[in-house]
């Protein structure tokens, strides 16, 4: 028996058998780990609110060789999303972070950078500000996964895009200039490209004081989402929900 | 080739669809039904059929009922000005067990769950809003689960209902009776402190 302890973020839970929960954790130690929390549905005494999605916990789990599923021994809450008011829009934003991490991260591959990014973004999502941390999260996830194209030049002709119009297409990587844009392309505004540049150089907390309605960086989020969805080869359920939420 | 005769395989396959029933349990149940009398087997089949044929949703509160309106909505002894909103019909039994609530119910049939693509439009919120717009309801108690999804649902409903000038309350969150503060997690403690009352 190998009892392991790690900081972790709860991504999802699914009912399993009569009273167990199948839990997907994003652990700092080992990346994404799936485990069974025995009797978690029947008795809340052992896990309490620790298995709510996006709860930052200290998890202890038993990992055995040749077994895919760990056995979750205990979870101590470090920070819970329920400590602040959970509105519909905040719930959707939190769910988006959880879904993206769950879909994009490979099993058992630690990534301290993604873990730190997730914690920082969740910390910023405690209040009513959502669109800024969501933009930051999608941008950095795209970059950390190695999918982020160059913002400064056209992928077709290599022309400098700074100060010029830039376009992207759902089925193609990178940005193109006006001459090389494909049919049904969308435009990525210079303002959004500037925001992306700033976000790639700064901490998420540095944007906390800026007013950020839904319209700010909306084209950037759409661009990033298209890249992410193309790589995971599926539509994110939460992306559609966020789209329907008013700014 | 199947290990069992076709009718047995069919029954096992159907039983396996039930929550918490795996292959072994389904086999055990199927053999139990096979060994039981023809009357017992017929009673079981008829109960399942009746369940689907006779039960419906109450047009007022969405509770599962065999008469419309349901026993709570049609009762003259219950306080029709006090509505308790719950996620599932099974939650009504938990509130009724207290024997202290004399109001009526409204069942949402779920909670806002963005990870499962469930938004407010998928819940039975519309008839709650039209129900309260009549002006006869004085208070709505939001008794959704103390989870992220339940909280999101309660917050959304509170916003919608307060626009109509109603008194909207949320059930308290905190310690289960008989538990120990020493073993409580920080969120439960926080919620218990927030929801403290004067004595």
């Amino acid at each position: 028996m190998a009892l392991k302890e790690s900081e972790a973020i709860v991504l999802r839970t699914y009912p399993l058998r009569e009273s167990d929960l199948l839990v997907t954790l994003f652990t700092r130690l080992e990346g994404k780990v799936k485990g069974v929390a025995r009797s978690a549905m029947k008795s809340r005494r052992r896990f309490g609110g620790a298995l709510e999605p996006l709860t930052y916990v200290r998890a202890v789990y038993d990992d055995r060789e040749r077994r895919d599923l760990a056995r979750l021994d205990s979870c101590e809450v470090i920070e819970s999303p329920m400590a602040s008011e959970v509105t519909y829009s905040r719930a959707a934003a939190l769910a988006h972070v959880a879904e993206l991490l769950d879909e994009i991260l490979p099993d058992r591959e630690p990534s301290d950078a993604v873990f730190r990014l997730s914690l920082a973004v969740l910390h910023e999502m405690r209040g009513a500000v959502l669109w800024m941390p969501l933009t930051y999260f999608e941008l950095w996830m795209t970059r950390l996964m190695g999918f982020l194209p160059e913002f400064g030049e056209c992928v077709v002709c290599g022309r400098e895009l700074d100060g010029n119009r830039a376009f992207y297409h759902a089925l193609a990587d990178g940005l193109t200039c006006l001459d090389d844009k494909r049919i049904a392309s969308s435009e990525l505004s210079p303002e959004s490209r500037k925001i992306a540049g700033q976000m790639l150089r700064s901490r998420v907390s540095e944007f906390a004081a800026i007013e950020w309605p839904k319209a700010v960086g909306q084209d950037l989020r759409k661009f990033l989402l298209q890249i992410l969805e193309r790589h995971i080869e599926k539509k994110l359920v939460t992306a559609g929900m966020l789209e329907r939420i008013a700014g | 080739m199947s290990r069992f005769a076709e009718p047995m395989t069919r029954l096992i396959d159907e039983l396996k669809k039930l929550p918490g029933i795996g292959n072994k349990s389904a086999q055990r149940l199927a053999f139990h039904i096979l060994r039981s009398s023809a009357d017992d087997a017929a009673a079981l089949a008829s109960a399942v059929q009746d369940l689907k044929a006779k039960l419906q949703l109450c047009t007022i509160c969405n509770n599962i009922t065999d008469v419309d309106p349901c026993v709570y909505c049609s009762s003259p002894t219950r306080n029709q000005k006090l509505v308790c909103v719950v996620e599932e019909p099974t939650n009504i039994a938990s509130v009724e067990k207290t024997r202290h609530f004399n109001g009526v119910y409204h069942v949402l049939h779920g909670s806002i769950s963005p990870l499962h693509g469930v938004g407010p439009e998928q819940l039975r919120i519309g008839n709650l809003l039209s129900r309260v717009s009549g002006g006869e309801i004085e208070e709505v108690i939001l008794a959704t689960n103390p989870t992220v999804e339940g909280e999101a649902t309660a917050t959304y409903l509170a916003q919608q209902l307060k626009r109509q000038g109603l008194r909207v309350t949320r059930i308290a969150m905190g310690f289960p009776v008989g538990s120990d503060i020493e073993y409580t997690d920080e969120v439960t403690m926080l919620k218990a402190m927030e929801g403290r009352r004067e004595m």
Side-chain angles (χ1 to χ4, degrees):
Chain A
M1 189 173 86
L3 218 53
K4 296 174 180 171
E5 186 178 330
S6 173
E7 288 170 57
I9 298 168
V10 179
L11 300 183
R12 279 188 196 215
T13 58
Y14 307 87
L16 182 74
R17 295 187 285 264
E18 195 72 10
S19 57
D20 302 343
L21 278 178
L22 178 61
V23 186
T24 309
L25 294 171
F26 175 29
T27 66
R28 191 163 220 160
L29 187 72
E30 290 189 303
K32 202 169 77 178
V33 172
K34 289 194 176 89
V36 178
R38 293 236 183 262
S39 303
M41 286 206 290
K42 199 164 59 184
S43 165
R44 292 271 162 189
R45 198 177 299 167
R46 188 138 152 234
F47 296 104
L51 299 181
E52 283 300 303
L54 273 315
T55 306
Y56 175 32
V57 296
R58 184 166 289 106
V60 178
Y61 55 97
D62 168 17
D63 225 1
R64 292 180 191 201
E65 271 183 54
R66 294 188 295 277
R67 274 201 194 169
D68 289 340
L69 294 177
R71 187 181 59 81
L72 206 54
D73 193 67
S74 66
C75 269
E76 182 198 332
V77 177
I78 301 173
E79 195 172 333
S80 167
M82 289 185 69
S84 322
E85 190 187 36
V86 185
T87 58
Y88 171 38
S89 48
R90 183 163 175 254
L94 290 170
H96 184 63
V97 173
E99 187 183 19
L100 191 50
L101 287 171
D102 191 23
E103 294 294 345
I104 217 159
L105 293 174
D107 285 350
R108 308 266 179 177
E109 228 175 81
S111 172
D112 200 56
V114 176
F115 195 85
R116 281 186 282 114
L117 167 70
S118 307
L119 286 186
V121 165
L122 291 177
H123 194 74
E124 290 305 318
M125 278 186 179
R126 285 177 305 173
V129 184
L130 299 173
W131 301 110
M132 181 279 289
L134 274 179
T135 313
Y136 191 92
F137 181 69
E138 287 179 351
L139 178 70
W140 269 98
M141 278 303 285
T142 315
R143 182 179 196 173
L144 291 171
M145 292 293 118
F147 307 148
L148 192 69
E150 183 58 52
F151 279 102
E153 61 184 40
C154 170
V155 282
V156 180
C157 66
R159 193 192 302 171
E160 189 96 345
L161 289 173
D162 290 344
N164 297 312
R165 296 176 74 187
F167 299 86
Y168 62 95
H169 192 274
L171 303 174
D173 282 321
L175 295 171
T176 57
C177 62
L178 183 61
D179 295 338
D180 293 316
K181 81 168 181 133
R182 292 168 61 167
I183 295 166
S185 289
S186 306
E187 186 167 359
L188 185 63
S189 67
E191 295 79 30
S192 289
R193 281 181 280 153
K194 193 176 161 199
I195 287 170
Q198 288 169 341
M199 284 188 153
L200 291 172
R201 289 191 300 272
S202 318
R203 291 167 191 269
V204 64
S205 55
E206 289 172 37
F207 299 89
I210 302 168
E211 202 177 322
W212 201 293
K214 190 181 180 180
V216 175
Q218 198 164 11
D219 54 346
L220 176 61
R221 286 195 299 275
K222 191 179 166 195
F223 169 63
L224 296 167
L225 198 64
Q226 280 188 1
I227 296 172
L228 292 164
E229 287 183 334
R230 200 167 60 245
H231 281 88
I232 59 174
E233 295 179 343
K234 69 183 282 191
K235 291 269 176 200
L236 294 168
V237 177
T238 50
M241 302 211 77
L242 283 169
E243 211 165 278
R244 291 195 291 275
I245 290 171
Chain B
M1 203 177 81
S2 172
R3 288 193 294 150
F4 303 111
E6 193 273 330
M8 178 58 86
T9 308
R10 213 177 109 212
L11 180 58
I12 291 169
D13 287 344
E14 291 305 317
L15 289 168
K16 264 164 39 180
K17 292 177 187 170
L18 299 173
I21 304 289
N23 200 34
K24 283 273 177 206
S25 300
Q27 279 181 32
R28 205 164 47 242
L29 290 170
F31 275 98
H32 176 82
I33 294 167
L34 180 68
R35 285 187 208 107
S36 61
S37 68
D39 285 349
D40 283 350
L44 176 66
S46 145
V48 173
Q49 274 182 333
D50 280 359
L51 184 83
K52 293 302 286 181
K54 292 182 181 169
L55 292 187
Q56 55 181 315
L57 295 188
C58 171
T59 48
I60 299 172
C61 72
N62 308 316
N63 185 19
I64 295 169
T65 177
D66 55 344
V67 285
D68 189 21
C70 70
V71 286
Y72 303 113
C73 292
S74 58
S75 170
T77 60
R78 300 202 68 119
N79 182 358
Q80 301 287 334
K81 293 176 180 174
L82 182 61
V83 178
C84 178
V85 178
V86 293
E87 289 182 16
E88 298 293 343
T90 48
N91 300 150
I92 291 179
S94 304
V95 183
E96 283 297 298
K97 269 198 287 189
T98 65
R99 296 190 295 273
H100 271 74
F101 179 71
N102 192 36
V104 289
Y105 296 94
H106 189 91
V107 186
L108 297 171
H109 289 273
S111 57
I112 290 173
S113 177
L115 268 174
H116 299 101
V118 180
E121 55 280 0
Q122 275 82 38
L123 302 178
R124 292 172 189 269
I125 292 173
N127 65 342
L128 172 66
L129 297 179
S130 51
R131 200 174 163 188
V132 299
S133 66
E136 284 162 19
I137 289 163
E138 289 172 355
E139 182 181 346
V140 176
I141 303 168
L142 301 172
T144 52
N145 288 329
T147 58
V148 170
E149 294 174 353
E151 278 293 287
T153 311
T155 313
Y156 178 83
L157 285 175
Q159 284 169 352
Q160 301 291 315
L161 294 166
K162 277 184 177 170
R163 282 184 203 152
Q164 309 211 27
L166 283 172
R167 180 168 189 242
V168 182
T169 53
R170 175 88 171 108
I171 51 166
M173 275 183 249
F175 302 108
V177 173
S179 65
D180 194 323
I181 285 180
E182 195 183 334
Y183 299 107
T184 299
D185 65 87
E186 58 158 49
V187 193
T188 310
M189 190 72 211
L190 174 75
K191 295 289 174 190
M193 291 297 270
E194 281 174 357
R196 69 189 186 277
R197 63 189 167 87
E198 205 166 308
M199 295 184 76

